[in-house]
Amino acid sequence: MKIRAEVRLKPGHFDPEGDVTAKSLRELGFPVDAVKVGKVYVLDVKVNSKEEALRLTEEMCRKLLANPVKDDYTIEVLNT
Amino acid sequence: MKIRAEVRLKPGHFDPEGDVTAKSLRELGFPVDAVKVGKVYVLDVKVNSKEEALRLTEEMCRKLLANPVKDDYTIEVLNT
Amino acid sequence: MDAGKFRAIVLRTGGTNCDLETKIALEEMGVKTEIVHMNKIESKSLLDYHLIVFPGGFSYGDYVRAGAVWGKRVFTRLREQLEKFIDEGRLMLGICNGFQVLVEAGVLPGDGIGETPLVALATNSSAKYECRWVWLRVENNRTPFTLAMEKGEVLKIPIGHAEGRFLTDEKTLEKLKEGSQIVFKYVLPNGEDANGLYPYNPNGSLYDIAGICNRNGNIMGMMPHPERAFFGWQLPEWGEAPPERGDGRKVFESVIEYLENNIS
Amino acid sequence: MGLNISLDRMKYLKQYFKDRPLTDVELEMIAQTWSEHCFHNVFKGDVLTDDGRLIHSILKTYIMRATRELNKEWCISVFEDNAGIVDFDNGYAIAAKVETHNHPSAVEPFGGAATGVGGVIRDILGVWGEPVALTDVLCFGPLDIKYEDLPPGVKHPRYIYRGVVAGIGSYGNNMGIPTVSGAIFFDKGYTGNVVVYCGCIGILPKDSYVRNTCEGDFAVLAGGRTGRDGIHGVTFASVELTEESEELRSAVQIPNPIVEERLRRAIIQIRDERLASGITDLGGGGLSCAAGEMAYRSGLGVDIDLDRVLLKTPDMAPWEIWVSESQERMLLSVPEKNLMRVIEIFNEEDVEASVVGRFVETGRVRVFAKGRTVCDLDLKFLFNPPKVTRKARLPKPAHSEVNLDEPRDLGEELLKLLSEPNIRSKEDVIRTYDHEVRGCTVIKPVYGDEAGPSDAAVIKPLKDSWKGIAISCGINPFYPDPYWMVANSIEEAVRNNVAVGGRRIALLDNFVWGSPENEDNMGMLLKAVEACYDFSKALDAPFISGKDSLYNESPLGAVRPTLLITGIGIISDVRKVVTPSFKEEDNPIYMLGLTKEELRGSAYLRHKGVDGGEVPRVDGVISKRIIDTLIRVIDEQLVLSCHDLSEGGLGVAAAEMVVASKNLGAEIHLRKVLSGTRRSDFILFSESASRFLVEVDRSRYKRFEEFFSGLPFSKIGRVVKGAGLRIIDLNSRVSELSSREIKKAWRGY
Ligand SMILES: Nc1ncnc2c1ncn2[C@@H]1O[C@H](COP(=O)(O)OP(=O)(O)O)[C@@H](O)[C@H]1O
Ligand SMILES: [Mg+2]
């Protein structure tokens, strides 16, 4: 089962990488106000049920992929 | 206009970060086969039309955010 | 004064890279020191050591988040031993990547091994790797790692990291302050608060925090590298000849002093 | 994607293989082995000049001959192995190598630069060296060039710059090897062809340098898995970059430094237990070149079973496996009795390894896949391709006058130069590289709290020895005369090294040139190697290693011909290194060397947009005497601070010393400078060679002057209290610059 987990900084958190990206884009002449950068993990989870896959991925995010002090995450199933 | 651009390694390229992530998840007991890691950019583009925003983001991906030689990217509009 | 009876273990895994200079610093102080790879850890008993060091480096390539993978792995795998080690009040030091490991494992600033981290060491506010010398003020000189220092003393020690911006919520920060868990703060060369001013606060850390300890004081993590400011000749400049020693040495001197007073 | 074998050689192949067809694996192997990158056809081939000379191998005739004639007993291995090796101390030797990774960096800046670092680290591992320091020299197009001015297929310099710098930093930082020295240049001549030099210095116990592969030894392939990445890297290195290069995806290499980090640990362990009989890295040409070379140089043959190579993707064709340039791989030859222990060490460090073959007495390379023989070639044939002859048209020196009014305000001119992209501080880049890891960096690439310039980096690699290694570079791509450009680069590498107290200097040459099929390029190359011979000899500094990267062409034309000289010197006691910051008020400041009206290609004239005059020339005899004497006065501890004069001349050098100093500055009288020019601006900005600024202990200046009697030197000023620079010109006009202004201009803050 392919699951997509997206880990992004919590709203209101300072995102240095996003700021630098925005600045570079503006230097290149693009009309960009702000950029937020996050990570996507596309995971191949070896379970049969969608629910189980979601539950496990949730746990992976809590345990490893995100740091709750600064990160939010969203999870979705890509296919079955 | 908020646009979301996702940049990922093209299929066939080996992803060291995904590899390490998959191994760690397995060691923590998760039944994960393979992981691919990518980056998401949420961009605040200062234009009025959706078409223009998509066109510009496409160009940003080509020029800065992705390297067409090794990366694929997908773009979507988040709201208006 | 026989530090030779003290034993330290410097742990490493793929991507660790400051283990050797850390060992050299400890051995220079007379501590028997072993560098042990995680693959061989099962052949050792951690309780044979007085000090565990998690050294600097890029464990697991710093993928996912700096220190996250190693932190989770090591404290899952060796949970029992490590809990015992911590409970017995033995010493644990995390330097740079080692600090990130302790934070991600939930060991700092908590009282044991936490489920989730209470603080984060986030991407530097400059969004870049920063290699530079910084000035640290000793905020708490009653920990085993700072005994040999004066409170308010200013140390000059280098940093080298891309993810060192100390972050936490209000509540945890208050707790850290109350518990005197803030050990080092980034300051101006004259010892005054940096108040976030770059490059004195090199990464944008909240409250200029450079190093913290747990409540009990036996675990400390710091972003700067004391082992790179151990010998005088490592300093970035000197007059006609280098001084005998660098300020980082005091961290190791403190450890010895503590062990001497507390271990018979 | 072509194989890039010339027509002549194709004919030769047809003739040689008239009795049987070549297999695809064989053809690929031949193409790799004979490529410019692996075989150095141009440097090893013949050159026919337009004045009728025929030169056999410019590498042997010039570069290697200088070393042979200098005949230093401290040169342990030169031009043979993956890196040059020289003696150090306490039974240890230094290994050094510099590589270029231009093409890959042009296509994928981050990965290209990162794998450049990874590759040169493996060259050091490939002579059993423990890597202890890295260098990087980078040349980019101007960052402010307009997008519209770029032809299709050429990436914007800003994009390349960002990626390359991040790639260099990432690999070195991840490996925990300090990046201690380098340089960055910007010029139109690099817009289409970025130049990325990566260097690595290593340390090894002399007696662990083993190269003794024997019949029956196993061939063990270790490290990263073999994949489709990087196929045809070497043949790709010698094609012009065009829009289609974007399509050369498979040539893109993805860096994985943690694999190399583990590989390094394992290899050093295997070295220390003396378990292997030989080692080499997999670089250009992948397994085909590594296995072939190892067998050939041992006078053996080799049988390789491709089915035993660990793959990233299972569906690779035999030829792909054979020539893949996947990163982070090393090949070892291991005697049977040590095999188990070697595999065990790899396991302990989480490194994958497999026995892929065996060395045999056949003198042939035989490759098997799925039970079939897919390659069977005679190694003598393989390593002796038909020679290439290139034609060279020697450059004609052009003379012209300098047409430039004398500026009113020297101070203002100096400030402008200090903030020029090629001169200003590179601190913002340098600090993204860890230069302190390993805890053995004595002189850092940014000096002191004020982040002043350093002439050379100094490391102290051994715990129990005070000896240090001084690492310097010299590069002057802007002097439009290949001979004098090289002369200056060699002298600059030596000067920079001596300025911190380095001596017994070994050199590495790294050429980046346009197509050798162009006769003018070849003519310039010939003048360049002539200067290599002349000044290596004159300065008593042998070459120990190097590399050439030719065919740097793009839709914008050839790259600016560029030669990097790296200097590796010895510091007898790191506690006595010399630094560029002023030490005490009222100490005299001396200038060593003569200042001539030599400004062609200088930072000053380039900034003014003026071409003309003479390029700086080097008088080898005077230069050698000045340098030798400077080392003697350093050893007598008469020198309190020292800085070499290069880009921007006296003005920039003096200003840089002010940057490095805390509350001290300098007063400089241009009238007192020994010079053959009557213009203040020319004295201040001339780039004549062989010059240093030296602060001398004022109580012992007489002794200093005695040492230099008979050589060109003069007292030109003194150290003053309060930070700043005071320049008194020929007409007694005074320019005062505060240290704040100078720092702002040079450092940007
Ligand atoms: N242009 C050159 N100048 C000096 N030495 C060279 C040059 N080209 C090759 N060499 C020497 O030949 C040796 C082998 O070169 P090469 O095959 O390119 O090594 P590798 O493939 O390991 O990079 C190197 O150590 C180097 O010293
Ligand atoms: Mg090599």
Side-chain angles (χ1 to χ4, degrees):
Chain A
M1 185 117 21
K2 276 221 191 319
I3 310 276
R4 196 176 158 295
E6 184 171 328
V7 180
R8 263 163 42 196
L9 281 179
K10 285 188 166 156
H13 269 277
F14 171 48
D15 179 359
E17 200 183 343
D19 278 8
V20 167
T21 310
K23 204 171 136 242
S24 315
L25 287 169
R26 280 196 294 270
E27 267 171 24
L28 294 179
F30 292 105
V32 176
D33 235 25
V35 178
K36 293 276 163 194
V37 184
K39 272 193 182 177
V40 228
Y41 298 88
V42 177
L43 307 146
D44 225 334
V45 188
K46 293 282 110 184
V47 289
N48 293 326
S49 89
K50 222 161 136 168
E51 291 63 43
E52 179 70 357
L54 286 172
R55 196 187 59 73
L56 280 174
T57 310
E58 158 83 37
E59 200 180 325
M60 291 185 225
C61 285
R62 256 192 304 110
K63 284 210 172 145
L64 183 70
L65 303 180
N67 179 329
V69 178
K70 63 180 180 59
D71 301 318
D72 273 344
Y73 51 86
T74 51
I75 300 171
E76 82 191 279
V77 180
L78 286 185
N79 60 15
T80 40
Chain B
M1 186 115 23
K2 276 223 192 317
I3 310 276
R4 195 175 160 296
E6 185 171 329
V7 180
R8 262 156 49 191
L9 269 184
K10 288 196 161 140
H13 279 294
F14 176 69
D15 174 4
E17 175 158 18
D19 200 43
V20 165
T21 310
K23 277 200 192 119
S24 317
L25 288 169
R26 278 198 292 273
E27 197 168 307
L28 295 178
F30 294 103
V32 176
D33 234 26
V35 179
K36 293 272 165 198
V37 185
K39 272 199 175 173
V40 222
Y41 299 89
V42 177
L43 306 146
D44 225 333
V45 189
K46 293 282 109 182
V47 289
N48 293 325
S49 90
K50 220 161 137 166
E51 289 64 42
E52 180 69 357
L54 286 173
R55 197 189 57 74
L56 280 174
T57 310
E58 159 83 36
E59 200 180 325
M60 291 184 227
C61 284
R62 260 191 300 111
K63 283 198 174 156
L64 186 77
L65 304 179
N67 184 342
V69 176
K70 66 175 198 10
D71 302 317
D72 275 340
Y73 50 87
T74 51
I75 301 172
E76 82 190 279
V77 180
L78 286 185
N79 60 15
T80 38
Chain C
M1 285 289 204
D2 174 24
K5 60 183 189 251
F6 302 128
R7 291 160 55 96
I9 183 167
V10 178
L11 296 178
R12 75 174 175 94
T13 187
T16 300
N17 58 39
C18 302
D19 46 316
L20 189 61
E21 51 266 42
T22 306
K23 178 179 187 219
I24 288 174
L26 285 163
E27 284 188 334
E28 197 74 11
M29 302 300 305
V31 180
K32 277 219 186 72
T33 307
E34 286 170 71
I35 297 173
V36 179
H37 193 286
M38 291 304 293
N39 284 350
K40 288 199 172 164
I41 197 73
E42 261 84 29
S43 67
K44 306 276 171 187
S45 166
L46 293 178
L47 297 169
D48 285 346
Y49 302 92
H50 302 98
L51 169 69
I52 297 178
V53 184
F54 288 92
F58 281 74
S59 55
Y60 298 95
D62 272 1
Y63 293 137
V64 183
R65 268 185 325 285
V69 172
W70 197 18
K72 279 295 177 235
R73 280 181 154 188
V74 74
F75 284 89
T76 306
R77 217 167 111 193
L78 305 174
R79 185 167 195 115
E80 232 168 86
Q81 275 195 65
L82 284 166
E83 254 165 4
K84 189 133 189 259
F85 187 94
I86 296 168
D87 287 347
E88 286 183 9
R90 293 173 191 245
L91 305 186
M92 192 179 286
L93 173 62
I95 300 168
C96 193
N97 193 230
F99 185 18
Q100 293 160 339
V101 165
L102 295 177
V103 158
E104 287 289 345
V107 175
L108 279 177
D111 289 313
I113 304 173
E115 245 305 274
T116 53
L118 293 172
V119 308
L121 291 159
T123 304
N124 295 347
S125 49
S126 64
K128 290 195 287 202
Y129 194 93
E130 295 273 349
C131 178
R132 57 172 75 245
W133 288 70
V134 294
W135 287 266
L136 303 177
R137 191 173 64 213
V138 181
E139 300 292 296
N140 176 351
N141 70 334
R142 291 179 321 267
T143 78
F145 306 95
T146 52
L147 274 184
M149 306 168 194
E150 304 287 327
K151 188 166 180 199
E153 186 178 344
V154 176
L155 312 178
K156 189 173 164 187
I157 294 181
I159 55 145
H161 61 251
E163 292 170 60
R165 181 164 49 102
F166 188 92
L167 264 186
T168 191
D169 53 62
E170 278 301 317
K171 211 174 92 209
T172 311
L173 181 62
E174 277 316 307
K175 268 188 152 171
L176 289 176
K177 288 187 199 165
E178 275 164 28
S180 300
Q181 284 176 255
I182 299 166
V183 183
F184 295 118
K185 284 179 77 168
Y186 299 112
V187 290
L188 306 182
N190 64 11
E192 284 169 22
D193 281 341
N195 283 323
L197 182 69
Y198 178 86
Y200 301 103
N201 176 337
N203 48 31
S205 282
L206 179 71
Y207 201 58
D208 300 325
I209 291 174
I212 59 170
C213 62
N214 63 344
R215 250 174 204 273
N216 192 20
N218 63 321
I219 308 177
M220 182 177 80
M222 61 192 293
M223 286 316 294
H225 284 274
E227 79 282 9
R228 297 184 190 177
F230 188 85
F231 301 105
W233 54 264
Q234 291 172 320
L235 301 188
E237 69 187 305
W238 63 73
E240 284 190 42
E244 262 308 292
R245 47 194 64 180
D247 290 344
R249 191 183 191 108
K250 292 183 183 167
V251 172
F252 300 95
E253 283 169 353
S254 300
V255 168
I256 302 295
E257 197 178 318
Y258 174 84
L259 291 177
E260 254 155 14
N261 295 337
N262 291 277
I263 309 283
S264 47
Chain D
M1 170 80 218
L3 289 165
N4 214 22
I5 301 180
S6 70
L7 199 59
D8 285 352
R9 284 181 167 183
M10 272 299 189
K11 283 188 189 144
Y12 170 82
L13 277 181
K14 249 201 181 126
Q15 178 61 25
Y16 188 90
F17 287 96
K18 57 181 184 295
D19 298 331
R20 70 164 172 100
L22 275 164
T23 70
D24 57 349
V25 177
E26 287 169 337
L27 192 59
E28 288 286 345
M29 179 170 196
I30 290 167
Q32 304 293 322
T33 312
W34 292 1
S35 70
E36 188 52 54
H37 179 93
C38 291
F39 197 77
H40 311 287
N41 293 298
V42 172
F43 270 66
K44 289 181 182 166
D46 289 347
V47 179
L48 184 63
T49 65
D50 60 348
D51 59 3
R53 285 179 294 153
L54 180 68
I55 299 152
H56 301 296
S57 172
I58 55 177
L59 181 58
K60 286 201 185 119
T61 309
Y62 297 102
I63 294 167
M64 289 166 74
R65 179 156 62 100
T67 304
R68 197 176 62 242
E69 290 175 6
L70 288 172
N71 192 24
K72 300 293 183 190
E73 79 293 345
W74 46 267
C75 286
I76 295 172
S77 166
V78 292
F79 308 115
E80 282 193 1
D81 216 329
N82 290 305
I85 303 175
V86 294
D87 200 1
F88 183 52
D89 191 29
N90 267 355
Y92 280 81
I94 304 170
K97 179 70 185 263
V98 179
E99 286 267 12
T100 46
H101 228 217
N102 307 338
H103 278 64
S105 304
V107 174
E108 185 357 41
F110 180 91
T115 53
V117 177
V120 79
I121 291 171
R122 288 195 300 283
D123 273 328
I124 296 303
L125 293 174
V127 295
W128 297 115
E130 166 130 42
V132 293
L134 296 170
T135 67
D136 70 308
V137 173
L138 315 172
C139 310
F140 304 100
L143 295 187
D144 53 7
I145 199 166
K146 287 208 194 76
Y147 248 98
E148 301 80 77
D149 297 344
L150 296 172
V154 173
K155 295 196 163 70
H156 196 278
R158 215 173 253 285
Y159 177 83
I160 297 180
Y161 171 80
R162 214 185 304 269
V164 165
V165 166
I168 302 261
S170 148
Y171 212 97
N173 294 352
N174 267 273
M175 288 281 295
I177 306 170
T179 304
V180 297
S181 164
I184 303 182
F185 291 92
F186 301 96
D187 183 69
K188 284 207 298 290
Y190 301 113
T191 305
N193 294 285
V194 57
V195 176
V196 176
Y197 291 107
C198 308
C200 185
I201 286 87
I203 281 283
L204 62 148
K206 274 193 275 184
D207 59 359
S208 69
Y209 179 54
V210 192
R211 271 179 63 172
N212 182 32
T213 305
C214 295
E215 192 214 341
D217 288 355
F218 288 101
V220 177
L221 180 61
R225 288 191 166 213
T226 302
R228 279 220 177 78
D229 41 333
I231 283 175
H232 281 152
V234 297
T235 40
F236 166 60
S238 306
V239 295
E240 296 181 12
L241 281 180
T242 61
E243 203 173 348
E244 286 88 73
S245 307
E246 292 274 335
E247 296 308 315
L248 303 177
R249 300 228 159 101
S250 56
V252 172
Q253 298 153 345
I254 309 252
N256 195 354
I258 48 166
V259 170
E260 189 143 311
E261 201 279 326
R262 300 185 202 132
L263 189 58
R264 163 186 67 173
R265 300 262 188 179
I267 283 172
I268 298 305
Q269 188 63 34
I270 291 166
R271 170 191 88 179
D272 291 346
E273 294 185 27
R274 306 285 194 275
L275 297 169
S277 56
I279 185 167
T280 195
D281 66 301
L282 274 73
L287 186 55
S288 75
C289 283
E293 262 175 43
M294 202 157 176
Y296 183 61
R297 76 177 184 207
S298 316
L300 297 169
V302 67
D303 289 346
I304 299 281
D305 184 355
L306 293 181
D307 297 342
R308 295 175 151 233
V309 175
L310 299 170
L311 303 179
K312 284 181 187 166
T313 36
D315 57 335
M316 289 174 70
W319 73 265
E320 290 180 308
I321 302 171
W322 192 224
V323 302
S324 155
E325 290 177 16
S326 288
Q327 298 293 299
E328 289 98 18
R329 298 180 300 161
M330 301 286 294
L331 184 71
L332 287 82
S333 65
V334 181
E336 183 158 13
K337 65 177 188 337
N338 298 334
L339 189 61
M340 289 310 288
R341 176 66 189 136
V342 165
I343 299 293
E344 184 177 85
I345 289 173
F346 281 125
N347 282 339
E348 282 170 6
E349 294 292 343
D350 293 326
V351 175
E352 290 191 315
S354 67
V355 176
V356 296
R358 210 155 181 183
F359 292 90
V360 289
E361 252 181 347
T362 56
R364 303 182 73 81
V365 52
R366 287 187 304 185
V367 184
F368 308 96
K370 307 245 172 350
R372 283 190 308 126
T373 305
V374 293
C375 168
D376 185 355
L377 293 173
D378 179 23
L379 284 166
K380 263 210 206 77
F381 154 78
L382 190 63
F383 283 96
N384 291 284
K387 263 204 216 162
V388 172
T389 303
R390 297 279 176 217
K391 286 194 187 140
R393 186 161 40 236
L394 297 172
K396 307 273 174 295
H399 283 282
S400 65
E401 293 300 307
V402 185
N403 219 328
L404 178 70
D405 291 337
E406 199 165 343
R408 226 167 265 133
D409 188 341
L410 281 182
E412 201 177 294
E413 295 298 322
L414 178 53
L415 288 180
K416 276 191 222 151
L417 270 193
L418 286 171
S419 57
E420 211 267 331
N422 283 313
I423 291 188
R424 58 166 299 176
S425 166
K426 310 299 184 300
E427 186 185 356
D428 51 348
V429 169
I430 294 169
R431 291 208 187 279
T432 67
Y433 305 153
D434 198 326
H435 50 262
E436 302 277 9
V437 60
R438 293 185 62 84
C440 63
T441 314
V442 181
I443 295 191
K444 341 268 182 190
V446 276
Y447 171 73
D449 292 343
E450 297 299 322
S454 303
D455 285 312
V458 174
I459 57 169
K460 176 185 174 299
L462 297 177
K463 186 167 149 269
D464 299 319
S465 161
W466 285 111
K467 268 204 182 166
I469 305 175
I471 303 159
S472 60
C473 69
I475 171 168
N476 294 283
F478 301 121
Y479 297 154
D481 175 313
Y483 184 86
W484 293 114
M485 158 184 129
V486 170
N488 278 285
S489 302
I490 292 175
E491 210 223 23
E492 189 187 2
V494 172
R495 247 167 26 224
N496 275 328
N497 217 296
V498 171
V500 299
R503 68 225 37 216
R504 210 211 69 185
I505 296 160
L507 303 176
L508 291 87
D509 61 285
N510 284 82
F511 289 85
V512 170
W513 232 255
S515 168
E517 286 155 36
N518 173 313
E519 295 178 16
D520 291 319
N521 284 346
M522 275 312 292
M524 289 192 282
L525 189 60
L526 195 60
K527 295 308 286 182
V529 289
E530 278 175 24
C532 282
Y533 173 80
D534 291 349
F535 290 91
S536 164
K537 284 294 294 279
L539 299 182
D540 199 34
F543 288 101
I544 58 165
S545 182
K547 187 96 166 207
D548 55 274
S549 163
L550 311 176
Y551 293 98
N552 291 276
E553 302 274 344
S554 80
L556 289 169
V559 71
R560 181 181 268 287
T562 304
L563 172 68
L564 168 66
I565 300 287
T566 307
I568 307 289
I570 301 287
I571 301 278
S572 32
D573 183 335
V574 295
R575 291 166 297 187
K576 302 210 171 97
V577 290
V578 183
T579 57
S581 63
F582 293 126
K583 302 296 183 301
E584 206 177 317
E585 187 188 354
D586 265 343
N587 276 335
I589 297 171
Y590 288 85
M591 162 122 74
L592 308 180
L594 261 184
T595 302
K596 301 180 198 151
E597 202 170 304
E598 294 176 319
L599 289 105
R600 183 150 205 207
S602 69
Y604 180 56
L605 290 198
R606 277 187 290 121
H607 183 71
K608 293 278 177 198
V610 175
D611 184 23
E614 304 288 339
V615 296
R617 297 181 174 217
V618 184
D619 179 330
V621 176
I622 299 279
S623 169
K624 174 81 167 64
R625 288 182 56 206
I626 290 177
I627 284 163
D628 285 351
T629 313
L630 179 54
I631 292 171
R632 283 164 65 202
V633 292
I634 287 174
D635 285 347
E636 293 261 325
Q637 304 204 11
L638 297 169
V639 174
L640 294 184
S641 62
C642 181
H643 192 29
D644 116 284
L645 271 66
S646 55
E647 263 202 295
L650 168 61
V652 168
E656 286 178 343
M657 289 178 89
V658 170
V659 173
S661 308
K662 267 179 178 157
N663 290 308
L664 295 171
E667 180 181 284
I668 303 283
H669 298 266
L670 297 187
R671 198 168 25 86
K672 297 191 182 166
V673 174
L674 286 184
S675 84
T677 163
R678 310 208 66 93
R679 268 177 67 164
S680 294
D681 58 335
F682 288 175
I683 294 177
L684 194 60
F685 299 122
S686 160
E687 295 184 6
S688 291
S690 317
R691 296 183 305 158
F692 297 87
L693 281 180
V694 181
E695 174 193 356
V696 176
D697 181 349
R698 65 177 177 281
S699 64
R700 303 206 290 158
Y701 76 95
K702 282 228 173 70
R703 183 133 178 80
F704 176 86
E705 293 189 353
E706 275 164 32
F707 270 100
F708 278 95
S709 71
L711 287 170
F713 80 98
S714 61
K715 186 156 91 184
I716 63 162
R718 63 189 180 95
V719 178
V720 296
K721 201 169 167 167
L725 180 61
R726 191 180 307 137
I727 301 164
I728 298 104
D729 77 4
L730 295 180
N731 300 316
S732 305
R733 268 187 313 224
V734 181
S735 305
E736 285 260 18
L737 295 176
S738 74
S739 162
R740 279 238 321 277
E741 282 174 287
I742 291 175
K743 286 178 183 169
K744 183 95 185 47
W746 189 75
R747 294 190 313 205
Y749 63 92

